[in-house]
Amino acid sequence: MNTKRILLSVALVALAVFTSVAQGRKDLRFNEVMTVNDSSYIDTNGHRAAWVEIFNRSYGTVGMEQMFIANKEVVKPESDPRKPKDYLNEYAVKHPDVLYEIPRGDRDTKVAPRTHIVFYADGNTAAGALHLSYALDPSHENTLYLYDVNGDLVDKVTIPANIPANQTWALKVDGKSELTDNQEDKTAWSMRDGTDKSAVTPGKFNTTDLNDNIEKFHKHDPSGIIITLCAVAIVFLALLLLFILFYIFGKLNTMGSNDKTEAEPALAKIADTPASSAGADDEVMAAICFALYQHLNAHDQESGVLTFRRDNNTAWSAKSSLMRALPERR
Amino acid sequence: MILLESFLTDNLVQFWNFTGFANCEWPNLIMICVGLFFIYLAIKHDFEPMLLVPIGFGILIGNIPFQPGNEIGIYEEGSVLNILYQGVRQGWYPPLIFLGIGAMTDFSSLLANPKLMLVGAAAQFGIFGAYMIALWLGFMPDQAGAIAIIGGADGPTAIFLSGKLAPNLMGAIAVCAYSYMALVPVIQPPVMRLLTTEKERKIRMKPARKVSQNEKILFPIFGLILTCFFVPSGLPLLGMLFFGNLLRESGVTTRLAKTASNAMTDMVTIVLGMTVGASTQASEFLTKETIFIFFLGFCAFVIATCSGVLFVKLFNLILPKEQKLNPLIGNAGVSAVPMAARISNDQGLKADPGNYLLMHAMGPNVAGVIGSAVAAGVLLGFLG
């Protein structure tokens, strides 16, 4: 029985873990890209360059160390026995104009939950970990690829050619895009021209994703009284209906029972049952265990657990009555 | 020789930079002390050891300093801890725990005296009282709802709701809910004594009637239909709770009920407690919001206890003399099963050494489990 239980539990957990892997999505997303920057965002060295913003849409900090950003799809040949990660590592060293590996040990590459990180596409890696090893060509269509530390594709975006200076190609809602068969959803992206309604927002949210319900309650019920009254009424109503239903069931059960002893108090009946008899109810066992726990604080190795074993053996079979008890190792 | 020395030095420096000592900051040390304190409370004082030991150790795991990027941290995509944490993030563990709770809960005491369901409903005022205070303190409605559910005294429900409404506060809310559940024996008795007279504490309740097997089988079926038609958003919790109870009461799925209530619940409790503890990384846990959350959690527990006890006193005004309820069972309307019911029993025995209230208090206690799940569903319906 125990083996079956363990196998069933292991199967359930395995199912949950496999489901997690199957459903797993990397939580970093390309969020906004500017290809020509002559009067917009200035980097920490006081220079202007094209930039690529990535959004961490998870609720945990993500370290981007050893991830890869490429301006061309890098696919490991099937004949190459190495892991994709090792292939990308070598590729980044040989072709820095295509693939940039984010270096280790730089705190700037940690992305806090629900925040953005901005990389500068200026080909100047000496300026820091946030500077890509290549620049973008604004006169052509650019496609950017984000690979995780294992070399798996996380996200991809294609930026149209000839975007006017200081305008960006950005997600309509921060982080809201998914790859389907490694293809991006182009409808999730739009141009931002820098006007008030379509502002360029490096390092900030493109749009504020408001929950209408929350805004409504925040505005119309600032003290919470309305929601409290409604919610309490619903909770009471649900449990009141259950009460009425089971009150009626109880009455019907009591009336329908031919055996009068059924209607007598359960505790009185239980009390008449000898606890030591083989057929004693589990409730009696529980009551005895509880009394022992309450008054003597008796319990097994784990607190709150007191094992109570029924002894259905006779003097012929009971191990405790045997002459030769097994030696106990101390 | 010089080359070798330089090679060794470089590697030692690199190794040093990877160690916890080099990456340690004082918030990590504070959180490690909190974890050690939880383990101490569990082992030395027996405070909810099944929860506080995994959570306490999880806090230690989550606050060992390291250099990110090696897929070891709980927030690093693909790490083992992160995969286990998905059960909390995506809300798989709470319904599984509810399945176990359903399979191990005997609703007989509630069915024998169904009016105790209303006591379980009354104690949910704690949730909504805390909701109003949270709004007053400046939290947004969704955050206030997630924090207020602590008043339901139900860890899985708190994790489930906060995961949906305010995932960034989930670590603090979960630790707060479990901490206060462990502290129920400290928080509730003074409030109970304050609100009741000596005479009320000595009220002896009528022994419960015998509940038939048919009633026990019908309860999970009708319970699911009635509650979930009102609040479908509570389906993951209520569905699993009543399903577990049907496994138990049907009499033909004993093996499944045993697995759900023993092995499976234990396994989920281990990973749930550990990952919730590990999610309390200092950088995200040691904030002003956490202090507010602990304050609001305390308020929620006190309001829930008050409302449960006062509701019973109010109820007694309309009940016939022979059916009067002992107000000491009102505190059990919070769903800390069976801790709250034990406290009713202890306080009853202190007032009258022959007055055993345990089975009576189990009624509102299990009603509280249903009530808090319904309340969570209502909040999710309004604010989700």
Side-chain angles (χ1 to χ4, degrees):
Chain A
M1 181 68 84
N2 276 339
T3 317
K4 281 181 182 169
R5 267 190 230 154
I6 291 164
L7 283 175
L8 184 64
S9 306
V10 168
L12 274 174
V13 171
L15 183 68
V17 171
F18 285 131
T19 313
S20 82
V21 173
Q23 289 181 343
R25 293 272 177 198
K26 308 298 179 186
D27 285 321
L28 294 170
R29 288 289 174 274
F30 286 116
N31 205 56
E32 191 171 3
V33 182
M34 180 179 278
T35 50
V36 183
N37 175 7
D38 56 25
S39 63
S40 182
Y41 200 50
I42 301 173
D43 70 16
T44 47
N45 298 324
H47 300 126
R48 287 194 172 89
W51 49 263
V52 178
E53 181 194 66
I54 292 172
F55 178 58
N56 171 15
R57 63 181 186 177
S58 77
Y59 291 93
T61 303
V62 175
M64 289 193 70
E65 294 170 322
Q66 291 188 290
M67 289 182 77
F68 304 88
I69 302 174
N71 59 15
K72 195 179 101 180
E73 188 167 20
V74 183
V75 182
K76 180 179 81 74
E78 282 188 9
S79 57
D80 194 322
R82 287 175 296 174
K83 290 179 180 174
K85 176 187 174 181
D86 298 331
Y87 178 78
L88 289 182
N89 270 325
E90 192 186 307
Y91 197 95
V93 175
K94 287 184 178 168
H95 305 280
D97 55 324
V98 172
L99 185 65
Y100 174 65
E101 180 177 1
I102 300 166
R104 299 176 83 155
D106 195 319
R107 283 173 187 267
D108 290 344
T109 56
K110 273 172 72 174
V111 197
R114 310 285 301 166
T115 57
H116 307 77
I117 185 169
V118 177
F119 288 91
Y120 308 99
D122 55 4
N124 181 18
T125 50
L130 299 181
H131 292 257
L132 304 183
S133 54
Y134 48 82
L136 300 180
D137 179 1
S139 61
H140 290 90
E141 192 177 76
N142 289 281
T143 304
L144 293 175
Y145 299 81
L146 179 65
Y147 296 96
D148 70 6
V149 290
N150 297 319
D152 298 329
L153 184 65
V154 175
D155 198 20
K156 169 185 168 185
V157 58
T158 304
I159 306 122
N162 300 317
I163 292 181
N166 307 315
Q167 295 192 16
T168 57
W169 181 244
L171 275 181
K172 290 172 186 164
V173 179
D174 295 73
K176 202 165 185 181
S177 77
E178 302 296 344
L179 293 182
T180 311
D181 297 330
N182 285 349
Q183 293 306 312
E184 64 194 284
D185 175 12
K186 292 196 173 170
T187 59
W189 292 81
S190 66
M191 285 291 302
R192 299 182 78 86
D193 58 13
T195 57
D196 284 350
K197 284 185 181 175
S198 180
V200 170
T201 55
K204 296 187 179 65
F205 280 89
N206 299 346
T207 50
T208 312
D209 189 14
L210 295 178
N211 181 326
D212 291 341
N213 268 350
I214 291 163
E215 291 305 313
K216 194 173 66 186
F217 278 106
H218 189 51
K219 190 176 174 188
H220 299 296
D221 185 24
S223 61
I225 289 175
I226 296 172
I227 196 172
T228 297
L229 291 177
C230 293
V232 168
I234 294 169
V235 173
F236 260 94
L237 192 60
L239 289 174
L240 185 69
L241 280 175
L242 264 182
F243 156 58
I244 292 168
L245 193 68
F246 281 89
Y247 178 78
I248 295 167
F249 277 155
K251 286 285 174 200
L252 290 174
N253 184 53
T254 312
M255 283 165 61
S257 170
N258 293 326
D259 184 0
K260 286 190 177 178
T261 53
E262 283 275 299
E264 285 178 7
L267 290 179
K269 189 180 173 186
I270 290 164
D272 291 340
T273 315
S276 58
S277 74
D281 288 332
D282 289 344
E283 283 89 346
V284 178
M285 298 299 181
I288 293 169
C289 287
F290 186 72
L292 288 170
Y293 178 75
Q294 284 276 298
H295 296 289
L296 302 176
N297 194 26
H299 57 76
D300 293 356
Q301 191 69 31
E302 294 172 333
S303 63
V305 176
L306 180 57
T307 307
F308 203 107
R309 289 201 181 89
R310 270 184 226 277
D311 188 0
N312 292 329
N313 293 308
T314 65
W316 292 98
S317 58
K319 282 184 183 170
S320 58
S321 306
L322 291 177
M323 296 287 285
R324 292 191 311 132
L326 289 171
E328 204 172 300
R329 180 176 289 179
R330 295 185 187 278
Chain B
M1 188 65 190
I2 294 169
L3 266 177
L4 183 66
E5 202 174 293
S6 155
F7 175 75
L8 268 175
T9 316
D10 287 351
N11 276 292
L12 283 173
V13 168
Q14 193 183 357
F15 174 73
W16 170 253
N17 288 334
F18 272 102
T19 63
F21 299 108
N23 292 292
C24 189
E25 292 171 2
W26 65 267
N28 296 106
L29 297 178
I30 292 178
M31 289 307 297
I32 286 172
C33 291
V34 171
L36 291 174
F37 179 63
F38 276 25
I39 294 170
Y40 167 78
L41 282 180
I43 295 173
K44 184 74 179 171
H45 295 287
D46 231 14
F47 277 3
E48 294 279 357
M50 303 291 177
L51 296 172
L52 288 193
V53 168
I55 290 179
F57 205 81
I59 293 175
L60 300 187
I61 291 173
N63 286 283
I64 299 290
F66 62 88
Q67 216 174 50
N70 291 322
E71 292 192 17
I72 45 177
I74 194 162
Y75 292 118
E76 290 187 288
E77 184 95 26
S79 72
V80 175
L81 287 175
N82 183 267
I83 289 171
L84 293 175
Y85 185 52
Q86 293 307 311
V88 179
R89 278 275 316 278
Q90 312 284 345
W92 307 328
Y93 295 152
L96 288 176
I97 294 268
F98 260 61
L99 180 72
I101 292 173
M104 67 176 85
T105 303
D106 181 2
F107 285 99
S108 301
S109 48
L110 183 64
L111 294 175
N113 196 355
K115 60 178 172 287
L116 296 178
M117 284 182 200
L118 299 179
V119 182
Q124 307 313 318
F125 271 113
I127 295 174
F128 301 105
Y131 174 77
M132 288 196 281
I133 301 174
L135 285 180
W136 181 69
L137 283 174
F139 284 98
M140 287 297 285
D142 51 344
Q143 294 176 323
I147 296 168
I149 199 68
I150 296 170
D154 196 325
T157 308
I159 291 169
F160 179 78
L161 191 67
S162 56
K164 305 279 181 197
L165 292 183
N168 54 327
L169 301 178
M170 186 170 59
I173 289 171
V175 170
C176 178
Y178 281 120
S179 307
Y180 282 132
M181 279 163 65
L183 292 173
V184 158
V186 180
I187 298 169
Q188 286 197 324
V191 181
M192 293 159 71
R193 285 196 297 271
L194 187 73
L195 296 175
T196 51
T197 63
E198 187 71 26
K199 193 181 163 192
E200 285 171 331
R201 290 198 285 270
K202 287 183 176 169
I203 292 175
R204 288 202 176 199
M205 292 171 63
K206 234 173 74 174
R209 71 173 172 84
K210 176 100 175 160
V211 176
S212 73
Q213 190 66 17
N214 284 343
E215 283 177 274
K216 289 184 186 176
I217 293 173
L218 288 174
F219 179 70
I221 297 169
F222 282 96
L224 172 76
I225 293 170
L226 276 181
T227 53
C228 289
F229 264 73
F230 273 102
V231 273
S233 42
L235 197 55
L237 297 177
L238 290 164
M240 295 299 252
L241 176 79
F242 287 123
F243 172 51
N245 193 243
L246 185 63
L247 289 180
R248 172 197 165 94
E249 300 298 354
S250 66
V252 292
T253 50
T254 313
R255 214 175 74 196
L256 298 183
K258 278 184 179 169
T259 303
S261 59
N262 296 322
M264 200 195 72
T265 304
D266 290 350
M267 290 175 79
V268 179
T269 303
I270 290 168
V271 285
L272 175 73
M274 192 274 289
T275 48
V276 162
S279 71
T280 61
Q281 281 188 358
S283 55
E284 274 124 53
F285 192 78
L286 289 179
T287 62
K288 190 180 72 181
E289 277 80 20
T290 306
I291 297 168
F292 281 149
I293 288 169
F294 270 78
F295 167 72
L296 287 165
F298 179 77
C299 292
F301 267 67
V302 171
I303 297 169
T305 309
C306 289
S307 54
V309 173
L310 291 175
F311 180 80
V312 175
K313 290 177 71 154
L314 200 68
F315 207 16
N316 275 344
L317 296 176
I318 55 167
L319 287 175
K321 195 178 176 185
E322 68 279 4
Q323 287 185 21
K324 294 256 189 253
L325 305 175
N326 190 319
L328 288 178
I329 66 167
N331 75 298
V334 301
S335 56
V337 183
M339 184 69 91
R342 270 190 230 154
I343 289 158
S344 305
N345 193 55
D346 287 347
Q347 294 300 311
L349 287 173
K350 274 185 188 162
D352 175 0
N355 195 6
Y356 289 90
L357 292 172
L358 183 73
M359 289 314 287
H360 300 295
M362 280 305 287
N365 211 185
V366 294
V369 177
I370 301 172
S372 60
V374 172
V378 173
L379 286 172
L380 195 57
F382 279 134
L383 304 170

